[in-house]
Amino acid sequence: MTAPVATEPQAPGDAFVPRILVLSTNNISDPGIDLAGSSHMHYSPGVKVIGVPCTSGIRPSWILHALESGFDGVFVASDGDECAYLPDCAKRSSRIVGEAQARMRERGIDANRLRLAAICSVCAEPFTRHLGQFSTALAALGPAAAELTP
Amino acid sequence: MTAHEAANARRIGVYVCHCGGNISDYVDVDKVIADIEDAGDVVVAKTAMFACSDATQQDMVADITAQQLDGLVVASCSPKLHTYTFRGVAARAGLNPYEYTQVNIREQCSWVHTDDQQGATDKATALVRAGISRTRLTTPLEPMVVETLPRTLVIGGGIAGLRAAIGLADIGLGVTLVERELELGGWVRRFGPMYPHGKDGRALIETLVAEVRRRPAITVLTGAEVVGKAGSFGNYRVTVRVGGEGAGTIEVAAGSIVAATGFDAYQPETGEFGYGIEGVVTLPEFKALVDEATAPLTHRGRPVRSVAYVYCVGSRNTGGCANAYCSRFCCAATVQTAVQVSGLDPSIRQFHLYRDMRTYGKFEPLYTEARKAGSVFVKFDNDAPPAVARRDGGGLTVTVRDLLTHNEELALPADLVVLVTGMVPRDNEALVGVLKLPAGSDGFFNEIHPKLRPVETVVDGVLIAGACQGPKTSAESVASGLAAVTQSAAILKKGFTELDPLVATADQGACTACGDCLTACPYDAISMTETGDRHFAVISPTGCKGCGGCVPMCPENAIDLLGYTDAQVTAMIESLVEVPA
Ligand SMILES: Cc1cc2nc3c(=O)[nH]c(=O)nc-3n(C[C@H](O)[C@H](O)[C@H](O)COP(=O)(O)OP(=O)(O)OC[C@H]3O[C@@H](n4cnc5c(N)ncnc54)[C@H](O)[C@@H]3O)c2cc1C
Ligand code: SF4
C-alpha cells in the first residue's frame, strides 16, 4: 500500500520551492481549500495553511514574522464580501495587507511577496490557480531571506 | 531543564491517522511520528488506522488518563469533520476540550500532494509540529452558554419541508414555513401514482398539508422568500418578503433554519436526443400526460401506439462535464410510469433504452412488473447513444445498437420519445447569498459529512434536507427532513446552547483606554469600564462573535483572540518553516 518514501532532505542543488504561508478563514476559504483536496487537485507542498476565524483579525506582525522566519510569501485567503462576521471585512483585510506591505518595504522585503484574494467555500480551482501563479512569481523572486535588511 | 521549565512542561499526546490509506498512501506516517516524538512536551506519539474509530477513541481516553496528558493533538482530516469528536474524547477523559488541536493532513496535505510523497511527509511533519506548538500554549476554557429560541424556520414546502415542519411541531418547536410558490407541495404535488406503492402524489401532499394546517405551532407563508439574515446560531433574525416583489417584509426570529428547497428537472438542449422535434418529451412532461390520461392514450390529439424511453438524459455524464451523478429516482419513476401506461392500454408498445437499470432495493419488483406487462428493455453503450429522427409519414424512429444482441442495430418506431431527464440543482442564488449555503462542485448543497453529519452545514444552526442536497427519492427526502428535525431538536430543545469560548479578551494592564477598538466591533461587544481611576476596555464574551476583527485595531497589542493568540500563531508560524531532519 505505502511505497517507500525517500528520506534524504532536499539537496542544495534542487530547484527552489518557495514556502508559502496561507492564512485562511475557518468557515469560508478553508472549506474552499479543503475542496481542492477532496477534488484531488494539486499545489506545491511548500504551501502551508493556518486557519483563523476571519482575515480581519490578522495582525500585520504575523505576516512580517512569517517572512522573517523563512517563508517566501504570504497569501491571505479572505472571505471577500461573504464574511459572516463583518460587513466591511474586505476593506479591513486590505487595510491589514496594506499596513503589512508598508512594513515589509521598511524591512527591504518585496511587497509582492504578500497577496490577498477572496477565496469562497467552493473556490478550489481558483485557489490552486492563485497558488500556482504565486509559487511561480516567488520562484522568480528567490528566497525572501536574501532580501532582509540586517 | 530548570525547575521552572519542568513545572511548565506540558504532557501532550499526538495521534497521526492513516485514514485507511487516504493519508498513509502518500504520507509516511511512521516517519512523521519518528520526527516529532522527541519534540519537547510530547509524552505519547502514535499512529492510528482510523483515529475516529471507537477503538482509537478509547485508546486516547486511556492514554490521557494513564499518562495524565494535558494536551491532545490529532492529525487526520479537516477540522470540519471531527473537531467535536475529539473534543468529546478529551472531555470523556477529563481533559478540557480546548486543550486539543486538530491538524489537517488529509484535505490540505495527502490529497493535494499525491504526486510527492516526500513533500507530503515533510509538510505533514511541519503541520503536526505547528499543532504541538499551538497546544503547548492552550489553556482550559469553558464554553459560553446562550439561550436559544424554540423555533425553526423551514425554507421550501416540498415533501421534505412539509414533513419536517410537522415533525418539528410535534417535538414541541414553533415552525415558520416559507414557500416561494403560492401552493405547497413542490414536485410531488404534481404527480399521480408514484413508486414504490403507486400512491397518488397529490393525495400525499393533501394529507401533509392538512396535517400542517391542524398544527397551530406552524405558520405558513406562501409566495414568500427569505431576503435577509442577521443574528447568530440560536437567535437568527430572518427577513422574509411576503406578497411578491415590492410588497412588505416581516421578520422571523428562529433558533435554527432548515433549507429544503429541492431540485429542478434537467432541461435538455434543443437537438439533444431530438428534443424540440414534435413528439420528443421529458419525463416530467410524460408523467403529467399519463397521470391525466384516460384510454386511448393521445399526445396533442394524435394516438400514441408506441413509446421509446431514453434513460440517463442529463445524468451520469462522463468526460468531466457537468452532472456526473446518477439522479437515482428516474429508473424507478420511468418503470412505474410504464406500468401505468400498460394499465391504460396493454397493447401500447414500450421500448426502454437504458445504460444500466437502477431500480435498486425494494424497487426491483417494479422492473419485473414492467417486463411482464410487455415493456422491452434495450441496453445501449454510452459511446453509442441512440439517435432520434422524424419518420416519413409521421411519428419518430429511434435507432440504437443493442449491446445484449451483439450490437445489432435496431430502428424502433415510436409515436413518443420520452427523455428520462434527471435532477439538477435549483437556481437559488439569492438564498445561497443570504444563508451562505455551501454548494458542492455539482451545485447541490453540501452537508458537513455525508455519513456522520448528514444534514448540518458549516454554518451553525443552518441545516439542509431533501433533494437540495443531491438527487433523492421522496422517501429519502422525507428521511433527511426528519433528520433535520432531530438535529434542530438536539440544538434547540435544551433552551440553551454552548458556544465556543474562542472570543477576544483585552489585557487590562496593557490597555491605555484609547478607544480604537470600540468602533472595531459591529456587535457592540466592547465597552470602556473603570476601576478606581483606571479606564480600560472590556469585551463581553457573549456579545463577541469571535472574529478577531478588533485584534489588529489595538495599537497596544492588548487584545488576543482565544485559540488564536499572538503567542500561538507566532509559534505555529515558526514550526511550519522548520525543515524536518
Ligand atoms: C418526473 C418525476 C417523477 C418522480 N417520481 C417519483 C416517485 O414516483 N417516487 C419518489 O419517491 N420520488 C419521485 N420523484 C422524486 C421526488 O419528486 C423528489 O424526491 C421530491 O420532490 C423531493 O422533495 P423536496 O421537498 O426535497 O423538493 P421539491 O419537491 O423540489 O420541493 C422544494 C420546494 O421548495 C420551494 N423552494 C425552492 N426554493 C425556495 C426558496 N428560495 N424559498 C422558498 N421556497 C423555495 C419550491 O418551490 C418547492 O416547493 C420524481 C421526480 C420527478 C421529476
Ligand atoms: S436513476 Fe437510472 S435513469 Fe436516472 S440517472 Fe440513474 S441510471 Fe440513469
Side-chain angles (χ1 to χ4, degrees):
Chain A
M1 200 162 65
T2 311
V5 176
T7 46
E8 305 82 53
Q10 199 177 30
D14 285 359
F16 166 59
V17 180
R19 299 185 199 170
I20 304 176
L21 174 67
V22 176
L23 294 167
S24 70
T25 67
N26 294 341
N27 291 329
I28 297 179
S29 63
D30 214 44
I33 299 170
D34 277 353
L35 186 62
S38 326
S39 321
H40 293 264
M41 298 175 180
H42 282 144
Y43 49 77
S44 157
V47 174
K48 289 160 190 162
V49 183
I50 294 182
V52 294
C54 171
T55 49
S56 295
I58 294 173
R59 291 191 191 208
S61 62
W62 295 344
I63 296 170
L64 263 291
H65 189 67
L67 295 168
E68 287 170 353
S69 312
F71 277 106
D72 302 301
V74 176
F75 186 90
V76 177
S78 76
D79 293 349
D81 297 328
E82 281 191 75
C83 177
Y85 297 109
L86 302 166
D88 58 344
C89 180
K91 222 174 85 194
R92 292 184 190 225
S93 300
S94 33
R95 191 195 64 80
I96 291 162
V97 164
E99 194 183 320
Q101 282 177 325
R103 288 165 64 177
M104 286 161 64
R105 284 192 201 93
E106 282 169 24
R107 296 282 287 112
I109 307 172
D110 193 324
N112 291 317
R113 292 186 184 276
L114 172 56
R115 284 193 184 178
L116 163 80
I119 300 293
C120 72
S121 56
V122 291
C123 283
E125 201 275 324
F127 175 78
T128 30
R129 204 177 48 232
H130 273 298
L131 268 290
Q133 290 165 352
F134 196 25
S135 288
T136 311
L138 289 170
L141 285 177
E147 286 174 9
L148 287 170
T149 45
Chain B
M1 193 187 295
T2 64
H4 177 74
E5 275 168 347
N8 283 317
R10 296 287 302 255
R11 299 184 61 79
I12 298 174
V14 181
Y15 299 83
V16 178
C17 186
H18 284 256
C19 192
N22 279 297
I23 294 170
S24 54
D25 283 356
Y26 315 105
V27 169
D28 181 344
V29 290
D30 295 319
K31 178 160 191 297
V32 174
I33 289 291
D35 283 342
I36 58 96
E37 65 189 347
D38 296 330
D41 303 328
V42 173
V43 177
V44 175
K46 289 183 176 174
T47 62
M49 189 46 72
F50 290 103
C52 57
S53 68
D54 275 350
T56 309
Q57 290 189 36
Q58 279 164 20
D59 254 11
M60 291 180 186
V61 171
D63 287 346
I64 294 169
T65 331
Q67 300 286 335
Q68 294 177 302
L69 300 183
D70 63 7
L72 176 65
V73 174
V74 181
S76 55
C77 46
S78 166
K80 266 97 237 148
L81 299 174
H82 285 306
T83 297
Y84 292 95
T85 311
F86 298 118
R87 277 191 189 165
V89 167
R92 288 204 297 282
L95 174 66
N96 185 282
Y98 297 94
E99 308 268 29
Y100 137 77
T101 300
Q102 179 68 31
V103 178
N104 182 350
I105 57 165
R106 193 178 72 176
E107 284 81 351
Q108 295 188 1
C109 187
S110 68
W111 279 352
V112 274
H113 309 307
T114 50
D115 52 347
D116 181 355
Q117 292 200 334
Q118 177 167 356
T121 304
D122 288 351
K123 173 170 166 179
T125 303
L127 293 171
V128 173
R129 282 197 183 145
I132 296 168
S133 301
R134 177 186 182 276
T135 308
R136 280 198 189 102
L137 297 164
T138 53
T139 49
L141 300 171
E142 291 309 320
M144 279 162 334
V145 174
V146 294
E147 280 180 29
T148 54
L149 295 168
R151 171 170 286 273
T152 299
L153 178 80
V154 178
I155 306 172
I159 194 162
L162 287 170
R163 188 63 189 84
I166 294 167
L168 287 161
D170 288 350
I171 214 159
L173 293 168
V175 184
T176 304
L177 176 60
V178 175
E179 167 56 53
R180 182 157 64 183
E181 305 286 321
L182 293 173
E183 247 181 286
L184 293 168
W187 279 94
V188 175
R189 186 193 74 225
R190 311 179 187 190
F191 302 145
M194 292 176 70
Y195 73 84
H197 299 300
K199 292 242 166 65
D200 197 79
R202 283 169 296 224
L204 270 176
I205 292 297
E206 274 168 30
T207 316
L208 285 176
V209 171
E211 290 293 324
V212 165
R213 303 278 181 216
R214 266 178 6 124
R215 286 169 173 73
I218 307 177
T219 307
V220 178
L221 303 172
T222 49
E225 252 183 289
V226 168
V227 293
K229 183 195 85 179
S232 57
F233 173 39
N235 295 280
Y236 283 119
R237 294 188 309 283
V238 180
T239 314
V240 181
R241 188 172 61 214
V242 283
E245 197 81 42
T249 61
I250 57 170
E251 192 166 279
V252 179
S256 71
I257 299 172
V258 177
T261 50
F263 67 98
D264 250 334
Y266 174 73
Q267 190 56 33
E269 308 275 341
T270 303
E272 190 176 349
F273 295 104
Y275 194 64
I277 305 177
E278 175 74 19
V280 181
V281 297
T282 62
L283 177 62
E285 289 162 353
F286 184 64
K287 172 85 178 136
L289 177 80
V290 175
D291 283 348
E292 298 305 322
T294 47
L297 184 62
T298 59
H299 177 249
R300 304 220 169 144
R302 296 167 52 107
V304 176
R305 303 296 312 139
S306 54
V307 181
Y309 304 89
V310 181
Y311 282 65
C312 298
V313 174
S315 303
R316 304 177 66 207
N317 293 332
T318 49
C321 46
N323 308 1
Y325 51 82
C326 165
S327 288
R328 293 178 70 83
F329 80 95
C330 18
C331 276
T334 305
V335 168
Q336 147 82 36
T337 312
V339 171
Q340 262 176 275
V341 169
S342 297
L344 220 51
D345 178 352
S347 72
I348 295 176
R349 296 172 69 195
Q350 301 189 70
F351 306 101
H352 300 252
L353 281 44
Y354 70 100
R355 283 170 58 189
D356 299 285
M357 276 315 282
R358 296 191 167 170
T359 46
Y360 59 92
K362 292 184 179 175
F363 311 140
E364 185 66 11
L366 258 180
Y367 177 37
T368 312
E369 198 182 332
R371 277 180 314 196
K372 280 199 181 137
S375 272
V376 174
F377 287 80
V378 179
K379 183 172 168 70
F380 68 86
D381 190 290
N382 190 30
D383 294 331
V388 179
R390 240 185 279 265
R391 184 173 26 149
D392 295 338
L396 302 154
T397 304
V398 186
T399 326
V400 62
R401 285 187 179 279
D402 181 6
L403 269 183
L404 302 183
T405 56
H406 301 288
N407 270 332
E408 188 189 344
E409 185 169 284
L410 307 175
L412 306 166
D415 296 322
L416 270 186
V417 171
V418 179
L419 305 185
V420 177
T421 45
M423 290 187 178
V424 291
R426 215 185 259 274
D427 183 15
N428 243 325
E429 220 179 302
L431 185 72
V432 167
V434 170
L435 294 187
K436 317 285 182 213
L437 281 167
S441 49
D442 56 14
F444 289 101
F445 299 152
N446 257 354
E447 57 282 315
I448 293 183
H449 192 291
K451 299 189 199 82
L452 302 173
R453 301 175 71 184
V455 294
E456 291 164 272
T457 69
V458 286
V459 189
D460 283 337
V462 176
L463 312 171
I464 47 179
C468 66
Q469 294 187 271
K472 280 187 165 56
T473 67
S474 52
E476 291 162 346
S477 302
V478 166
S480 74
L482 290 174
V485 169
T486 320
Q487 194 53 34
S488 284
I491 58 187
L492 301 181
K493 281 300 279 183
K494 283 187 305 213
F496 66 90
T497 185
E498 295 189 337
L499 293 185
D500 269 359
L502 303 178
V503 293
T505 55
D507 175 359
Q508 266 190 45
C511 176
T512 58
C514 70
D516 283 4
C517 55
L518 295 180
T519 50
C521 182
Y523 304 106
D524 296 330
I526 312 181
S527 56
M528 278 300 162
T529 187
E530 53 178 291
T531 44
D533 57 352
R534 262 192 63 75
H535 292 252
F536 52 86
V538 286
I539 303 175
S540 145
T542 49
C544 176
K545 298 277 176 282
C547 67
C550 53
V551 170
M553 305 302 269
C554 174
E556 305 300 329
N557 287 337
I559 305 181
D560 247 337
L561 184 63
L562 295 178
Y564 307 87
T565 62
D566 191 30
Q568 283 176 317
V569 176
T570 308
M572 288 175 79
I573 290 172
E574 285 162 11
S575 299
L576 286 180
V577 279
E578 267 178 65
V579 187

